[in-house]
Amino acid sequence: MAPVLNPFHRFTSEGAAVGRLLLGYSNLEIDLMNCVQMACGENLNTVIKAMFGARGEAKRIAQAEKLGQPHFAHHHLSLNFQHAIAIIRRCLQIRNQYAHWVLWDDSSGKLAFANLESLAKLKRKVNDLRKLRTFHVDATVLAEQEAYFVYCHRYTSWLNCEIRFRAKILPKKIVNKPKRTKRPRLKLK
């Protein structure tokens, strides 16, 4: 086996969950884009170019917020839209800790991960990795995170339909507002 994949041979369920989070995040951005497009009444071209014209997930979320906020406010959905933005920002935070950090098996029984960029930003010379702050996740934390991604999808889908109902584009409510899901932990303590 390739050494780089060894932690995922031991932590197979954790590795599968991390993969789903990494790959699934882009679908949440598409959900947000569709929601904003419905709110704005703009054609897809306008919204997709505004959100995806500049590289970077945080920039896409900020553009979606800028485009959508006046329309959601007009239909008295500002707080709901801000909640959707907060949810996807948390999902991005979860995604980024796996996409931009290093993961390994540190023999603790949990999947270890750390941010090498934090060492790179130190003013002092870095001679080894012993000062690297290590965090851990397990299948339970990853399941909480995955459930939050599902909540993000459901909430954005509800908001998409709700604004169309309030704008009289949909004749009736077709999606129920999902029950609020607690923000998941990013890691074990």
Side-chain angles (χ1 to χ4, degrees):
M1 296 294 154
V4 73
L5 300 177
N6 280 345
F8 298 111
H9 287 288
R10 179 168 180 204
F11 300 105
T12 55
S13 63
E14 291 89 340
V18 167
R20 287 189 299 273
L21 292 169
L22 288 171
L23 294 173
Y25 175 79
S26 62
N27 291 332
L28 300 179
E29 286 186 345
I30 299 300
D31 290 341
L32 181 62
M33 180 194 67
N34 286 327
C35 185
V36 169
Q37 189 234 336
M38 291 298 149
C40 296
E42 300 284 342
N43 63 35
L44 180 61
N45 183 63
T46 302
V47 177
I48 199 168
K49 287 186 177 175
M51 283 182 66
F52 290 87
R55 196 170 176 138
E57 295 84 3
K59 289 178 184 176
R60 285 193 277 275
I61 295 169
Q63 276 294 84
E65 185 175 21
K66 180 180 169 184
L67 284 170
Q69 187 58 46
H71 303 283
F72 285 99
H74 178 75
H75 292 286
H76 308 287
L77 289 166
S78 283
L79 292 177
N80 299 101
F81 184 58
Q82 286 307 311
H83 183 63
I85 294 295
I87 296 167
I88 197 165
R89 282 190 173 130
R90 181 61 167 196
C91 291
L92 175 60
Q93 190 178 18
I94 292 165
R95 176 236 180 235
N96 282 349
Q97 78 178 7
Y98 303 120
H100 301 293
W101 293 29
V102 61
L103 294 98
W104 74 96
D105 179 359
D106 68 351
S107 300
S108 67
K110 308 286 185 215
L111 183 61
F113 66 104
N115 183 350
L116 290 176
E117 291 172 358
S118 64
L119 280 182
K121 291 178 183 175
L122 294 176
K123 299 267 190 244
R124 64 177 171 72
K125 184 177 179 181
V126 177
N127 295 315
D128 60 52
L129 297 178
R130 287 181 287 182
K131 300 286 184 192
L132 187 62
R133 186 163 179 211
T134 303
F135 301 97
H136 296 90
V137 290
D138 63 8
T140 302
V141 169
L142 287 160
E144 291 170 9
Q145 293 172 353
E146 222 174 327
Y148 201 70
F149 273 48
V150 170
Y151 172 60
C152 182
H153 166 72
R154 289 181 178 156
Y155 193 88
T156 308
S157 297
W158 165 78
L159 190 57
N160 181 328
C161 293
E162 185 66 19
I163 196 158
R164 287 188 287 153
F165 171 73
R166 292 188 185 192
K168 300 186 184 339
I169 295 166
L170 289 176
K172 64 179 183 173
K173 293 186 180 203
I174 58 172
V175 177
N176 292 326
K177 185 175 183 180
K179 182 181 174 197
R180 189 176 281 241
T181 298
K182 183 180 165 191
R183 275 179 56 145
R185 299 174 283 173
L186 293 174
K187 59 196 172 294
L188 292 168
K189 294 192 182 219

